Amino acid sequence: MMKILNKLREEGRAEDMQALVEHIPYAQFMGIKVDRKGNEITMVLPFDEKLIGNPNLPAIHGGAIGSFLEITSLIQLLYSTQCERIPKTVDIGIDYLRSGKPVETYGRAVVTRQGRRVANVRAEIWQEAINKPVAASHGHFLLTPV
Amino acid sequence: MPAYGAAIGMEVHGVVERQITIKVPYALHLVGDPDTGVLHGGVITAALDNASGWAVRVVKELEDEDPMASGMATLDIRIDYMKPATPNLDLFVMAECYKRTSTIAFVRAVAYHTDADDPVATSVATFMMGTPNQPRV
């Protein structure tokens, strides 16, 4: 990740989060995309059958939702702090608010505080309506190596 | 195994009383950082979440209930990451439902490679019991 981060910076494309996401194998596996409008980043998770956790409802797997929240938080952190290194997740707490329907999901995150060593990031994901979140998370990320 | 669990490659490794262990074989599409080959944190999140849900079903079976008769929903999960996963090593998650009431189940889980006392991550989750398992019409 450091290699691609440095390469994008050299090319003056430090804000190209889509290019960054394309270099994360797990994000590619999930099919995650980045929609950037000015300085606002919305992460997009198109629906795919493999994301299903409960086939009866059907509902998206809690693990897929957790992963999406974590990636949303990390990308927002990389974008808004332009940090030198890839932040490391220290902890993340996830609240599941509604069942994730088999449709496209969107995510946005806010860096609520950026200290020298640790950043606090909140993220929310939604589907049909932004005021009806499917899940929300609050995480701490380590910015400097231990 | 749900579709997402299968897509990640999760499999049940063993069940001992209330403890269930699942295995996530190392795979390139689960990598978070191609420079190092370290698994993405999201994979660990998914494995902990999945194993925790299964742990509730294990307890239901031990108490002679049909584990699939009613649904359950994750209320929340809090995950602490202790150290990066080691590239090329399979990941194991051991989960145990240590308390269950009629409405809520409490589950702790630990993700590790070879020794559960040297964890990659730990989690605590709560589940709401008896949620609908059929779509609302």
Side-chain angles (χ1 to χ4, degrees), chain A:
Chain A
M1 283 276 280
M2 287 305 295
K3 282 182 206 156
I4 174 69
L5 207 58
N6 291 335
K7 183 168 168 279
L8 287 173
R9 283 202 184 132
E10 279 164 22
E11 292 171 359
R13 291 163 64 208
E15 298 192 336
D16 190 349
M17 292 294 132
Q18 176 65 38
L20 193 64
V21 161
E22 283 167 14
H23 281 82
I24 306 175
Y26 184 59
Q28 285 303 104
F29 161 73
M30 287 185 70
I32 292 173
K33 294 186 170 68
V34 182
D35 179 20
R36 184 165 71 89
K37 302 237 164 37
N39 68 348
E40 184 188 75
I41 288 178
T42 306
M43 304 295 287
V44 182
L45 176 67
F47 175 70
D48 188 286
E49 283 296 328
K50 70 168 179 270
L51 299 175
I52 289 290
N54 180 333
N56 293 338
L57 289 176
I60 293 183
H61 194 280
I65 287 174
S67 301
F68 187 48
L69 282 161
E70 192 176 335
I71 293 171
T72 299
S73 303
L74 270 172
I75 293 295
Q76 181 64 49
L77 194 55
L78 277 165
Y79 177 75
S80 52
T81 65
Q82 292 291 309
C83 37
E84 291 289 308
R85 285 164 196 281
I86 307 297
K88 282 195 176 120
T89 316
V90 179
D91 63 61
I92 187 163
I94 299 160
D95 283 335
Y96 293 91
L97 308 169
R98 288 179 177 80
S99 88
K101 298 190 180 111
V103 296
E104 195 163 75
T105 310
Y106 311 100
R108 270 188 206 155
V110 179
V111 180
T112 46
R113 181 172 193 280
Q114 188 194 344
R116 260 187 319 119
R117 288 185 294 180
V118 170
N120 295 35
V121 185
R122 285 181 191 282
E124 254 182 30
I125 63 167
W126 74 95
Q127 294 180 324
E128 285 102 344
I130 195 166
N131 58 349
K132 286 188 174 171
V134 167
S137 68
H138 178 215
H140 294 106
F141 296 85
L142 197 63
L143 301 169
T144 51
V146 218

Side-chain angles (χ1 to χ4, degrees), chain B residues 3 22 27 65 79 82 101 111 118 127 131:
Chain B
I22 67 157
E65 284 173 50
I79 300 162
M82 270 76 184
T101 71
D118 183 23
F127 292 85
T131 58

